[in-house]
Amino acid sequence: MNQIIESLLSRKSVRAYEDRVIPEEVKELIIRSAMRAPTAGNQMLYSIVEAADPKAKEILAETCDNQPFIAKAPLVLLFLADYQRWYDYYIASGVPELCSKKGEKIKKPKEGDLFLACCDALIAAQTSVVAAEAMGIGACYIGDIMENYERHKELFDLPEYVFPIAMICFGYPTEQQKEREQPERYKQEYIVFKDKYKRLNKEEFDDMFKSTNDRLFGDGVHINGAENYGQHMYIKKFSSDFSKEMSRSVREILKNWK
Ligand SMILES: Cc1cc2nc3c(=O)[nH]c(=O)nc-3n(C[C@H](O)[C@H](O)[C@H](O)COP(=O)(O)O)c2cc1C
């Protein structure tokens, strides 16, 4: 099989790493690959910050929903949706003067600009993951970087038009991680549609989640009051404290873009 496809089909998130440094030249290849990712208007509406300071990694392990493996990752990269650089460039290029000549006010970055910058940052992020995996390095996204905005803003000096959309931990996988089974995915028929979007009904949901539901709730098991996978995920993810903190934190960041 083609090596890229093989790598894509066999990948899984890696959360335990060998105590082994990622060589500079390998890190450089990961970053160079990320920077070749498609980018809206070739503007590179993102910045990448390496959290290299072990103290910063310790803080992130706590602020990102208490995930200790973050502090142990040999390489931690933040992918920031970034309109600050372009806005600063517009100012430096005399755009305010141009606007005032036309009797207009300079436009500030808005919600659409933020979403575009998020697309750029995430595409670069996933490209870095693919590059790392091609070189035998495992990776794991940390979505919780969107939480605790005030602390991350201070820690990394984030200006107002920079949104920390993703963080990725990288490292060589331990043997246990290499052997760990890939998590299953849902059937294509529930994810991929032709021509029109399709909302699923109860029977389709039952089929879609059957194997997960059977595995976790097979013999009338209850988990924290939940009797099926839907209830379980609602409690564990959707209405959890970390999800509420993420929404609070994102609301705080969005104030800059409104
Ligand atoms: C946006 C995003 C956020 C994620 N955040 C976390 C996280 O905070 N902690 C973690 O251990 N895994 C995180 N993951 C990894 C997912 O849990 C993982 O991709 C999913 O369980 C599927 O497993 P796989 O990647 O091994 O196929 C995240 C993945 C994505 C795409």
Side-chain angles (χ1 to χ4, degrees), residues 138-249:
C140 185
Y141 277 87
I142 305 293
D144 300 283
I145 192 63
M146 284 188 273
E147 290 159 40
N148 291 303
Y149 170 60
E150 297 81 351
R151 290 190 71 186
H152 298 150
K153 179 178 180 303
E154 197 188 329
L155 191 59
F156 298 105
D157 276 343
L158 305 180
E160 58 184 334
Y161 296 122
V162 162
F163 188 114
I165 187 72
M167 185 167 85
I168 305 179
C169 296
F170 296 91
Y172 292 99
T174 58
E175 281 308 314
Q176 176 270 339
Q177 287 284 301
K178 280 187 208 161
E179 279 156 29
R180 192 171 59 83
E181 256 185 54
Q182 260 187 322
E184 64 182 326
R185 291 289 195 260
Y186 305 115
K187 288 183 191 165
Q188 269 195 31
E189 63 191 276
Y190 300 130
I191 308 288
V192 183
F193 311 125
K194 199 164 261 179
D195 293 330
K196 294 240 186 277
Y197 182 84
K198 181 179 182 327
R199 284 182 79 171
L200 306 184
N201 61 34
K202 170 90 170 78
E203 285 69 41
E204 288 161 331
F205 282 128
D206 286 346
D207 181 58
M208 177 170 175
F209 293 104
K210 186 172 186 327
S211 71
T212 316
N213 212 54
D214 287 354
R215 179 165 47 80
L216 294 175
F217 295 91
D219 301 316
V221 173
H222 281 60
I223 304 174
N224 294 326
E227 61 181 32
N228 60 44
Y229 190 55
Q231 293 180 2
H232 173 63
M233 289 300 274
Y234 179 86
I235 295 168
K236 190 179 154 199
K237 298 275 184 194
F238 194 61
S239 67
S240 67
D241 287 345
F242 86 76
S243 172
K244 286 177 187 151
E245 166 51 25
M246 193 180 283
S247 290
R248 184 210 63 79
S249 177

Side-chain angles (χ1 to χ4, degrees), residues 11-15 64 67 69 122 140-144 180 182-183 185 237:
R11 66 151 301 280
K12 61 196 171 199
S13 294
V14 170
R15 300 180 179 85
C64 296
Q67 302 190 77
F69 75 89
L122 289 171
C140 185
Y141 277 87
I142 305 293
D144 300 283
R180 192 171 59 83
Q182 260 187 322
R185 291 289 195 260
K237 298 275 184 194

Side-chain angles (χ1 to χ4, degrees), residues 80-135:
L80 311 170
D82 184 355
Y83 235 102
Q84 193 68 54
R85 187 167 40 240
W86 273 88
Y87 190 62
D88 289 348
Y89 177 52
Y90 292 146
I91 305 276
S93 307
V95 170
E97 291 76 12
L98 174 74
C99 290
S100 72
K101 261 194 233 159
K102 293 206 254 173
E104 290 170 5
K105 264 184 153 180
I106 184 167
K107 184 205 146 192
K108 293 195 168 169
K110 294 287 175 199
E111 297 87 339
D113 306 307
L114 170 63
F115 273 62
L116 206 62
C118 287
C119 291
D120 261 22
L122 289 171
I123 292 165
Q126 182 55 18
T127 305
S128 77
V129 168
V130 174
E133 283 167 352
M135 295 184 285

